[in-house]
Amino acid sequence: MEGVKCAVLEKNKTFSKHPQAHFINNRSMEVFRKLDGLAEEIQRSQPPVDFWRKFIYCTSLSGSILGSVDHMQPQDFEQVVSPVSVAHFSQYKITRLLIKNLENLNFHVRTGEEGLGGFDQGPVAEREILMGYECMSVDANDHCIHVTASFLKGGETMERTIPCSILVGADGSGSTVRKLVGIDMRGERDLQKLVSVHFLSRELGHYLLNERPGMLFFIFNTEAIGVLVAHDLKEGEFVFQIPFYPPQQNLDDFTREMCESLIFKLVGRELADIDVLDIKPWVMHAEVAEKFVSCGERIILAGDAAHRFPPAGGFGMNTGIQDAHNLAWKLASVVKGVSPYSLIRTYETERRPIAIFNTALSVQNFKAAMAVPAALGLDPTVANSLHEAINHGVGSILPYGLQRGILEGIFSIGRAQLSDFVLNENNPLGSSRLAKVRRIFEEGKSLQLQFPAEDLGFRYLQGALVSDEGSDLESPEIPTGRRRDYVPSANPGSRLPHMNVRALLSLSSEETYSTLDLVSGDKVEFLLIIAPLESSYRLAHATLKVAEEFKVSAKACVIWPHDAINGVKKGSEVELTPWKNFIDVVEVKKTPTSSSWWDLCKMTNSGAILVRPDEHIGWRMKSRVVGDFTSEMRKVFSTILQVNFTHIQLKS
């Protein structure tokens, strides 16, 4: 965000190449559209959608298919509710593109050796990304934060104390910043332990492309059970997720040779070109930090540092991206002196309930993922209970080798449920189980990929916004783990609805853009949306005047109905003189029966919408504003920016 001087400390010496997250939802792609063409670059670089639209359940990658689910629906490609579609693109590739964008903004990536600039202490230069810097301590007072970081120089560990006004801990699920400032996590821990195996095989990619393309493959057979994530079928890049049960199973057991053997069992045959790149354990949690902001609103948690979800539904990375989007304009407002530090508190007020909701939704979706193995006679909760009994029950007194043998024996008996002898239509038990699996798919009760109602429809109920009497302030529905369609809303706290529009004075041009594009992507600027009515123009005058008083940028957008523009020569120029910061646009309807802008927003055209810099609605009036426009807008900006108007007057 323009005007914010910042630097980044990264614990690792290089950026990870482990694919990790890979599904980018609609809202995150909308955010990326504002980052110098990042969304377009992702769309060009990602695999074709037909390569990843399905989840496939099978006995092996070359064996029987138990069922498949296509997670893309026709409306997902029509760009009716969003100007951009979801994407499948590995996290490390996103990081690579983000770094390229930052370098275009004159950021520099440096190692500990390079980043000192000849000084052991004091501020770092702005626009620096310092690799190999590990946060060791944080000391905060009312005016400043001192971060002590360690790094290697000439093979020797050194420390450096760096002063800053605000510290954002976006340092992952094991966040050092979170631990140093004493913020606890709340929720469910240790839902599942897994080993993630990153490998390449063009042979496997070519086979799946031709025979059964998909994003996720859930594999159940008598020799092994696991989930294959196909990050890029064309390049043959995959990650296998394998359940892991320590201490009876040890990470050292997962050698490259053992992982190759497991992969061959899950594939159903050997692969001549397999190349195992990385093997790493991870633990699935469902937790949210008890607070996102501390130390006088100067230390902030974002992303996985603030919340840890099961990967089901891809909410982890996407929620983190949207944390940053919410926070950016607030940080800029505080740093520029427009708002007090209390504005940063609204980041927690708004984002923490979203994180709690997304945690519950991820858990529901994770449980849905367990429905298929449970129907096949492999209830994962039973496996986890047996493992718990061995670790902490009677089994804990047995020798380690015997514990391991018992565990492997139990799992072997469990996997026997997947034999051809049991799992076939001629076996009554197998036939019943296969019928259960089919019902799960038919009723949409398996693991889901898309959640449009939650991806686009999440709403802030309190925070940097003004609620109105026409708004429903009830909490969102309890998540069910099922896909629900997004319904556009102009309630305060909601994301601005998308509609295609065209510049009024360029009607000869075929170029259209989204209402979301009317909001600036690189500065703190509010957008007032009105219709071309006399009272609305007066409201625009008052809004632009009040924005100047609050020393914040604002722009008016006049949306003209698609059928009422004949003879319009100069748009709103006369009505909005002397102001120049306005734009006239015309609705573009997909069909003659498509809703008008104000119908889409469930408002009258005498109403108005004030949009925040993060494209969420800060205030709206469903019909004409009653009373003094200037007084009303002073109250609105005062509430959103957390500024007492009396202080504005005193400064003047």
Side-chain angles (χ1 to χ4, degrees):
M1 189 67 73
E2 181 187 52
V4 178
K5 296 179 180 180
C6 63
V8 178
L9 305 186
E10 167 58 47
K11 176 181 176 181
N12 297 305
K13 293 180 182 178
T14 59
F15 294 108
S16 173
K17 291 185 179 178
H18 200 91
Q20 298 173 293
H22 54 95
F23 178 68
I24 312 173
N25 69 20
N26 268 130
R27 186 64 188 128
S28 293
M29 286 296 282
E30 289 177 352
V31 172
F32 286 165
R33 288 178 79 242
K34 296 295 181 74
L35 299 181
D36 196 23
L38 181 60
E40 291 80 1
E41 181 69 25
I42 289 171
Q43 288 177 315
R44 283 193 299 270
S45 304
Q46 71 169 342
V49 69
D50 286 342
F51 291 4
W52 53 267
R53 60 191 298 159
K54 292 183 179 180
F55 290 177
I56 295 173
Y57 300 76
C58 53
T59 58
S60 75
L61 293 179
S62 54
S64 302
I65 292 180
L66 302 170
S68 67
V69 180
D70 187 343
H71 291 282
M72 302 302 288
Q73 298 182 4
Q75 64 264 34
D76 296 330
F77 305 102
E78 293 169 357
Q79 298 185 351
V80 172
V81 297
S82 175
V84 65
S85 299
V86 299
H88 172 47
F89 198 63
S90 302
Q91 184 173 331
Y92 79 94
K93 296 179 180 177
I94 298 171
T95 301
R96 192 182 294 162
L97 293 179
L98 285 170
I99 293 298
K100 187 171 78 172
N101 275 19
L102 287 172
E103 288 174 340
N104 291 337
L105 294 171
N106 296 317
F107 274 76
H108 303 283
V109 179
R110 304 190 191 282
T111 65
E113 302 274 355
E114 302 172 290
L116 279 168
F119 300 96
D120 290 342
Q121 303 298 327
V124 297
E126 63 174 296
R127 302 179 190 243
E128 298 274 86
I129 302 172
L130 302 181
M131 307 298 294
Y133 272 63
E134 182 174 2
C135 181
M136 304 300 292
S137 68
V138 175
D139 180 27
N141 58 43
D142 292 340
H143 309 290
C144 187
I145 297 166
H146 288 90
V147 177
T148 300
S150 67
F151 59 95
L152 284 175
K153 183 183 180 186
E156 189 178 334
T157 301
M158 302 187 70
E159 288 191 351
R160 180 181 186 184
T161 300
I162 304 166
C164 59
S165 57
I166 295 171
L167 174 64
V168 179
D171 50 340
S173 61
S175 174
T176 300
V177 172
R178 185 184 68 231
K179 293 170 184 173
L180 287 173
V181 297
I183 298 175
D184 292 330
M185 300 295 281
R186 297 280 183 260
E188 297 181 72
R189 292 183 58 81
D190 298 347
L191 291 175
Q192 182 76 61
K193 294 181 175 69
L194 299 109
V195 170
S196 179
V197 183
H198 180 203
F199 73 97
L200 301 177
S201 173
R202 285 181 179 268
E203 179 185 342
L204 178 59
H206 181 75
Y207 167 75
L208 292 174
L209 268 180
N210 288 293
E211 298 297 328
R212 49 180 75 171
M215 176 192 283
L216 298 186
F217 297 80
F218 299 83
I219 305 159
F220 311 97
N221 64 48
T222 56
E223 294 189 282
I225 294 170
V227 179
L228 178 77
V229 185
H231 283 267
D232 192 328
L233 290 176
K234 187 176 178 182
E235 296 297 321
E237 183 173 25
F238 302 94
V239 169
F240 249 127
Q241 305 287 5
I242 304 163
F244 176 43
Y245 295 91
Q248 292 78 22
Q249 292 179 341
N250 193 300
L251 185 61
D252 292 339
D253 297 337
F254 289 85
T255 62
R256 274 175 161 68
E257 292 73 20
M258 183 215 181
C259 289
E260 286 180 6
S261 175
L262 271 174
I263 290 167
F264 295 158
K265 290 172 182 176
L266 292 163
V267 171
R269 61 185 175 87
E270 293 193 0
L271 301 168
D273 67 343
I274 189 168
D275 181 11
V276 175
L277 302 177
D278 192 18
I279 303 164
K280 59 191 298 186
W282 64 282
V283 183
M284 188 186 300
H285 304 291
E287 297 180 305
V288 176
E290 61 182 359
K291 54 185 177 180
F292 287 14
V293 176
S294 68
C295 301
E297 288 81 45
R298 288 180 179 275
I299 298 180
I300 304 157
L301 300 180
D304 287 357
H307 40 72
R308 310 192 288 201
F309 308 147
F315 283 96
M317 177 176 69
N318 289 296
T319 306
I321 289 166
Q322 292 149 34
D323 286 345
H325 194 231
N326 178 284
L327 183 59
W329 74 272
K330 296 176 181 179
L331 284 178
S333 297
V334 170
V335 169
K336 289 181 173 183
V338 171
S339 294
Y341 275 82
S342 58
L343 179 62
I344 293 176
R345 176 63 60 185
T346 69
Y347 162 71
E348 177 181 309
T349 305
E350 294 177 355
R351 292 303 300 169
R352 191 168 182 273
I354 301 300
I356 291 170
F357 182 88
N358 287 351
T359 303
L361 183 54
S362 296
V363 170
Q364 286 283 353
N365 207 26
F366 172 65
K367 290 178 178 177
M370 300 298 102
V372 171
L376 294 172
L378 296 168
D379 191 337
T381 59
V382 174
N384 290 334
S385 297
L386 289 169
H387 184 231
E388 186 72 13
I390 292 172
N391 282 340
H392 303 291
V394 177
S396 62
I397 65 174
L398 299 174
Y400 172 76
L402 187 54
Q403 289 183 34
R404 181 178 179 125
I406 291 171
L407 188 69
E408 290 179 352
I410 291 170
F411 289 166
S412 180
I413 292 169
R415 290 195 302 271
Q417 308 292 313
L418 303 169
S419 68
D420 291 339
F421 173 75
V422 175
L423 208 59
N424 71 79
E425 296 291 356
N426 296 320
N427 182 314
L429 178 60
S431 177
S432 170
R433 287 176 174 174
L434 290 170
K436 282 183 183 177
V437 170
R438 285 193 294 271
R439 281 199 299 275
I440 290 169
F441 296 141
E442 289 165 1
E443 295 172 7
K445 293 182 178 179
S446 62
L447 176 71
Q448 298 299 301
L449 176 65
Q450 291 209 71
F451 295 89
E454 290 76 20
D455 292 348
L456 295 173
F458 69 86
R459 178 187 171 201
Y460 306 133
L461 298 179
Q462 294 178 306
L465 54 90
V466 181
S467 299
D468 63 39
E469 294 179 1
S471 298
D472 177 8
L473 291 179
E474 292 184 10
S475 297
E477 295 178 32
I478 295 172
T480 64
R482 308 277 189 90
R483 173 173 172 148
R484 296 184 298 133
D485 288 334
Y486 161 72
V487 178
S489 169
N491 282 329
S494 298
R495 156 214 176 254
L496 181 70
H498 156 72
M499 174 183 268
N500 281 328
V501 294
R502 182 178 289 127
L504 175 66
L505 301 181
S506 303
L507 292 180
S508 57
S509 169
E510 292 299 312
E511 183 180 2
T512 63
Y513 42 95
S514 169
T515 45
L516 296 167
D517 296 330
L518 300 169
V519 182
S520 174
D522 58 4
K523 62 180 177 179
V524 177
E525 182 176 78
F526 287 81
L527 178 74
L528 180 74
I529 300 178
I530 59 171
L533 302 175
E534 189 272 336
S535 62
S536 297
Y537 284 127
R538 287 195 287 114
L539 175 65
H541 277 273
T543 301
L544 297 173
K545 174 177 177 290
V546 169
E548 279 195 345
E549 292 174 350
F550 280 80
K551 295 182 171 54
V552 69
S553 179
K555 179 173 67 178
C557 172
V558 184
I559 296 187
W560 295 71
H562 80 290
D563 57 356
I565 55 173
N566 292 333
V568 176
K569 300 286 187 182
K570 293 189 176 181
S572 304
E573 183 179 343
V574 172
E575 288 80 1
L576 289 176
T577 298
W579 301 102
K580 301 294 183 183
N581 43 335
F582 68 90
I583 182 173
D584 286 287
V585 299
V586 183
E587 300 170 342
V588 175
K589 289 194 173 186
K590 280 191 172 287
T591 67
T593 58
S594 296
S595 297
S596 71
W597 169 253
W598 299 105
D599 287 341
L600 182 72
C601 295
K602 300 178 179 64
M603 296 171 60
T604 69
N605 68 346
S606 59
I609 298 171
L610 186 69
V611 189
R612 307 187 322 192
D614 62 352
E615 299 165 0
H616 280 256
I617 294 168
W619 168 87
R620 65 95 185 260
M621 192 59 66
K622 294 185 79 169
S623 57
R624 182 176 175 175
V625 176
V626 177
D628 181 67
F629 292 165
T630 300
S631 296
E632 174 67 17
M633 297 318 295
R634 281 174 179 160
K635 291 176 187 174
V636 168
F637 277 100
S638 180
T639 301
I640 293 174
L641 294 171
Q642 302 284 294
V643 176
N644 187 326
F645 182 67
T646 305
H647 294 163
I648 297 286
Q649 290 175 307
L650 289 173
K651 284 182 183 179
S652 301

